[in-house]
């Protein structure tokens, strides 16, 4: 008998890894915990590097679409004198957006795996798994201390008053708005660049291919990111011999 459930690919990952920990009676995965931490550090470095690269590319793109010209250091040449510089930066930014999404999801996947270790370690004592994770990896404790509910896994020792609750609510809104506006800014700059190329360049069929590459790359970045966190239908077999086929909840309680 198969039961239909709704899971995002990211939820499917941590639910599956939780089951793997359940059936790992010899502790093989626990013995590899240190390796997972090492891989997380590498993934975090790649994530940060790709985000910085995209930020610099978008900054350059903003200068180019504004019509301003800058001197290139060490070469004594203006950006306006460089052939197809706008098109090169735009295409590079589109490809960089794909790598940013891939690097981010890869980091989030390793982070999710390590979260499962911390959640299981905390269960017998009911302590906050976030503190276990903070000892194993670099975590954004600033975001934890500025949120309304300090312990999202259990009971808070200190219930916030109205002033701090309002402050935490506004902080969350501002942070989420920034995270949303950054990719929007990237897409706006890309659209402005494509429009300038269309108006001022006589590229013909080349422009069609160029436009397709840039548009496809940006669309692919959004497609991958949204797909990783969107719920899809999956089926679990309740008649199999695998223990705990339907995983226990691994998300923090509401």
């Amino acid at each position: 008998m198969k039961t239909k459930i709704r899971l995002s690919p990211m939820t499917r990952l941590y639910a599956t890894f939780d089951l793997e920990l359940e059936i790992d009676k010899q502790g093989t995965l626990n013995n590899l915990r240190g390796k997972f931490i090492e891989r997380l550090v590498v993934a975090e470095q790649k994530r940060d590097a790709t985000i910085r690269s995209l930020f610099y590319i978008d900054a350059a793109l903003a200068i180019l679409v504004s019509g301003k010209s800058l001197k290139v250091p060490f070469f004594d040449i203006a950006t306006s004198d460089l052939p197809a510089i706008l098109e090169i930066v735009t295409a590079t930014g589109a490809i960089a957006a794909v790598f940013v999404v891939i690097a981010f999801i890869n980091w989030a996947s390793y982070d999710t795996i390590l979260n499962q270790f911390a959640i299981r370690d905390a269960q017998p004592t009911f302590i906050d798994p976030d503190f276990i994770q903070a000892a194993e990896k670099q975590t954004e404790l600033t975001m934890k201390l500025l949120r309304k509910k300090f312990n999202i896994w259990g009971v808070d020792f200190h219930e916030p008053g109205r002033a701090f609750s309002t402050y935490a609510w506004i902080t969350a809104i501002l942070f989420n708005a920034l995270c949303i506006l950054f990719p929007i800014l990237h897409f706006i700059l890309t659209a402005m660049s494509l429009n300038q190329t269309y108006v001022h360049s006589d590229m013909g069929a080349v422009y069609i291919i160029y436009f397709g590459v840039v548009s496809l790359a940006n669309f692919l970045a959004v497609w991958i990111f949204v797909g990783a966190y969107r719920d899809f239908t999956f089926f679990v077999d309740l008649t199999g011999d695998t223990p705990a086929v339907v995983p226990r909840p691994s998300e923090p309680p509401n």
Side-chain angles (χ1 to χ4, degrees):
M1 174 182 173
K2 291 187 176 181
T3 300
K4 182 167 65 174
I5 58 175
R6 299 280 294 178
L7 297 172
S8 69
M10 191 61 68
T11 304
R12 184 190 186 196
L13 170 64
Y14 73 63
T16 301
F17 189 74
D18 184 63
L19 290 176
E20 295 289 351
L21 291 174
E22 186 74 26
I23 63 177
D24 183 21
K25 303 304 181 183
Q26 297 181 349
T28 302
L29 291 173
N30 272 291
N31 294 334
L32 294 173
R33 191 169 182 171
K35 294 294 184 181
F36 282 119
I37 295 175
E38 293 176 5
R39 299 297 182 271
L40 175 67
V41 172
V42 174
E44 189 175 70
Q45 292 171 347
K46 290 183 177 180
R47 178 204 63 186
D48 293 345
T50 55
I51 291 176
R52 280 195 299 268
S53 297
L54 183 59
F55 178 82
Y56 294 144
I57 292 172
D58 280 348
L61 189 58
I63 294 174
L64 293 173
V65 298
S66 70
K68 304 296 182 180
S69 181
L70 296 177
K71 288 284 186 178
V72 179
F74 308 111
F75 293 98
D76 195 29
I77 186 173
T79 55
S80 58
D81 297 330
L82 296 174
I85 184 63
L86 179 62
E87 290 75 18
I88 293 173
V89 173
T90 303
T92 303
I95 300 300
V98 177
F99 283 103
V100 165
V101 171
I102 292 175
F104 179 86
I105 294 178
N106 188 52
W107 162 81
S109 299
Y110 276 106
D111 189 65
T112 294
I113 289 174
L114 283 171
N115 288 348
Q116 292 307 113
F117 285 117
I119 292 170
R120 281 180 168 266
D121 289 347
Q123 282 175 350
T125 57
F126 300 102
I127 62 176
D128 189 343
D130 288 346
F131 290 116
I132 298 177
Q133 297 178 55
E136 292 185 328
K137 62 184 181 180
Q138 177 67 34
T139 60
E140 302 302 331
L141 289 177
T142 301
M143 302 307 299
K144 180 177 179 66
L145 66 89
L146 293 182
R147 67 191 184 200
K148 178 180 178 181
K149 186 168 177 55
F150 193 79
N151 183 6
I152 61 175
W153 305 93
V155 179
D156 274 344
F157 296 121
H158 310 93
E159 184 177 349
R162 179 178 299 178
F164 184 80
S165 297
T166 303
Y167 171 78
W169 178 70
I170 294 175
T171 302
I173 291 178
L174 294 176
F175 181 76
N176 291 330
L178 180 63
C179 292
I180 293 173
L181 289 175
F182 180 72
I184 290 178
L185 176 61
H186 167 76
F187 296 135
I188 290 176
L189 290 173
T190 301
M192 293 174 63
S193 172
L194 291 175
N195 181 67
Q196 286 193 20
T197 301
Y198 176 76
V199 172
H200 301 293
S201 299
D202 185 19
M203 300 177 67
V206 175
Y207 175 78
I208 297 177
I209 298 175
Y210 163 74
F211 181 87
V213 170
V214 172
S215 300
L216 180 60
N218 282 288
F219 176 79
L220 180 61
V222 176
W223 180 267
I224 294 175
F225 183 82
V226 173
Y229 293 94
R230 181 190 182 278
D231 285 347
F232 294 92
T233 299
F234 294 92
F235 297 89
V236 293
D237 189 357
L238 298 180
T239 61
D241 297 329
T242 303
V245 175
V246 180
R248 62 178 179 276
S250 298
E251 292 181 321
N254 296 325

